[in-house]
Amino acid sequence: MAAYIGKEYHLYYPFVLVPVLYIGILSWGAFDLRLNFFMPSTTKGQQHTCQIAITFDDGPSPFTLQILDLLDQYQAKASFFCIGAQVSRYPEIAKKIVEKGHVIANHSMNHPYQMGFLSSGKVRLEIEGANRAIEATTGKRTLLYRPPFGVSNPHIAKALQDCNLKSIGWNIRSLDTLNLSEHQIFARIKKRLNPGSIILLHDTSEKTVHIVKSLLIELKANKLEAVNLEDFLNQKVYEN
């Protein structure tokens, strides 16, 4: 009897495993932009160049000013994926990003925690709201977007297509928003650093300011050039 029951359960394994694997693959695809599962995303550049792209999410903030000063000091350029509400809160900092030759881009209007569960219409409202805030403040209408949390799904893909924006991911996630030391975060970046890398940081803390300084020193020592995404991608990043 026991052998028969075991055999009976064995017959149901495929019916259990297939849905579990399917859900697992969808989840992985939703949270890893490198897979291009739901939509195309640029996550790295050409490895034969000596260029890397430093990108920042969630600003602008008062810490952005310190980062801009460091970038000037080391003659480096970067790209800032800004939250529309933060652009409206710190318009002068947003203007300074553009004035100093860095790229400003779209990171949604409010960075909603439920981003992965919004309809395509609501995602579009988030994208359009941020674009309006950026354009009203800087005069630039960006063509680049980074989804909050790096999440993707068919709704986000459709909204991006409707708005004619290009998704930009990364291949080095610094984890600078987690409870890790500056040394741990910098070591993580350094270990993965190669020509063509796109590095994800957040211009929202003093910790990241210190990490950026260490990173810029490291790039100079290794003869790597930090450029903005317009030069890194060799393509237009604004409509105007």
Side-chain angles (χ1 to χ4, degrees):
M1 174 66 79
Y4 176 78
I5 294 174
K7 183 178 180 180
E8 187 176 59
Y9 279 122
H10 182 72
L11 293 174
Y12 288 99
Y13 284 170
F15 298 98
V16 175
L17 286 176
V18 170
V20 169
L21 286 172
Y22 178 73
I23 292 169
I25 291 169
L26 287 182
S27 299
W28 186 16
F31 288 97
D32 193 340
L33 291 175
R34 294 172 299 177
L35 298 178
N36 293 318
F37 194 85
F38 293 109
M39 61 194 192
S41 293
T42 299
T43 58
K44 60 183 178 181
Q46 299 294 324
Q47 292 185 326
H48 65 265
T49 72
C50 292
Q51 295 180 337
I52 64 100
I54 304 174
T55 66
F56 297 93
D57 285 7
D58 294 0
S61 79
F63 296 107
T64 308
L65 292 173
Q66 298 179 58
I67 289 171
L68 291 174
D69 287 343
L70 282 171
L71 292 168
D72 277 352
Q73 182 182 339
Y74 288 90
Q75 298 179 310
K77 299 299 180 186
S79 302
F80 295 79
F81 288 87
C82 294
I83 297 173
Q86 289 295 103
V87 171
S88 299
R89 185 177 181 186
Y90 298 107
E92 294 306 314
I93 300 177
K95 289 178 188 176
K96 189 165 285 192
I97 289 172
V98 174
E99 288 167 2
K100 288 183 173 291
H102 309 290
V103 164
I104 192 166
N106 191 316
H107 195 45
S108 81
M109 186 62 191
N110 300 293
H111 203 288
Y113 285 105
Q114 70 275 27
M115 190 72 189
F117 302 96
L118 297 182
S119 67
S120 59
K122 289 184 178 179
V123 174
R124 181 169 179 167
L125 288 175
E126 284 285 329
I127 293 172
E128 291 176 339
N131 261 13
R132 282 194 298 270
I134 292 169
E135 186 173 17
T137 302
T138 68
K140 299 293 186 181
R141 187 166 183 83
T142 182
L143 296 171
L144 305 182
Y145 174 75
R146 176 172 285 161
F149 312 108
V151 67
S152 66
N153 60 35
H155 296 301
I156 295 171
K158 184 178 187 310
L160 268 185
Q161 185 177 27
D162 290 345
C163 296
N164 195 31
L165 265 64
K166 179 182 179 67
S167 174
I168 305 294
W170 58 83
N171 68 330
I172 300 179
R173 189 170 198 159
S174 67
L175 303 182
D176 59 334
T177 57
L178 300 186
N179 188 26
L180 299 172
S181 70
E182 293 171 16
H183 173 75
Q184 288 174 311
I185 295 167
F186 176 64
R188 174 184 173 83
I189 297 171
K190 183 178 177 180
K191 180 180 177 181
R192 294 164 171 78
L193 190 60
N194 284 300
S197 294
I198 300 178
I199 304 168
L200 168 63
L201 291 156
H202 296 80
D203 52 329
T204 54
S205 73
E206 188 74 32
K207 179 170 69 173
T208 296
V209 174
H210 297 157
I211 293 164
V212 169
K213 183 173 183 178
S214 297
L215 174 58
L216 292 171
I217 292 170
E218 181 69 17
L219 293 177
K220 188 174 182 179
N222 286 278
K223 296 182 171 56
L224 291 171
E225 182 186 12
V227 299
N228 65 35
L229 283 170
E230 185 169 35
D231 293 332
F232 187 78
L233 300 173
N234 193 27
Q235 65 181 50
K236 193 167 81 166
V237 296
Y238 301 120
E239 279 188 16
N240 52 353

